[in-house]
Amino acid sequence: HIVRAFFDAETPLGFYSLFQESGLVEQICVSLEAKGRGMGALLMADAVTQTSHALNLIVNEDNFNARQFYAKLGFVETGHRIDPKSLRGVVALRMSAESA
């Protein structure tokens, strides 16, 4: 399990958390200052280099902005379910081989 962060000087721009053995992106966060500047795509591009597996993640079903972002990066939906902890609908996503 790794966590990688990107900074501009000492200002944090974003980070992600990745389980390398499965390609599972547990968390990705972009600072408000870096939103809309390509930081999310940069973080995901870096994550691809940190594992030999296709990236995969779970996103809340009603998080349309995140789902649109991941679709632009080449992620495809692989399933829907109810998260047992939050009782919210979630969508499983996997980066397509062509996008990696």
Side-chain angles (χ1 to χ4, degrees):
H1 184 238
I2 65 167
V3 175
R4 290 182 48 100
F6 287 67
F7 295 85
D8 180 13
E10 294 182 12
T11 304
L13 300 176
F15 76 90
Y16 67 86
S17 172
L18 171 72
F19 288 94
Q20 293 169 291
E21 65 279 358
S22 66
L24 176 65
V25 177
E26 179 182 44
Q27 177 105 24
I28 178 173
C29 292
V30 174
S31 71
L32 290 176
E33 296 81 16
K35 281 200 187 289
R37 297 183 10 207
M39 181 52 57
L42 180 67
L43 290 166
M44 296 307 281
D46 187 73
V48 166
T49 70
Q50 300 300 312
T51 182
S52 60
H53 300 278
L55 296 184
N56 61 91
L57 54 92
I58 303 292
V59 65
N60 287 330
E61 200 169 52
D62 60 0
N63 190 341
F64 298 109
N65 289 338
R67 290 173 67 184
Q68 185 176 33
F69 165 74
Y70 293 123
K72 286 182 184 178
L73 294 180
F75 281 81
V76 295
E77 295 185 6
T78 60
H80 294 252
R81 64 178 172 82
I82 300 296
D83 179 76
K85 290 183 181 177
S86 69
L87 300 179
R88 295 175 72 181
V90 294
V91 180
L93 302 171
R94 183 175 187 85
M95 184 174 268
S96 69
E98 298 81 35
S99 300

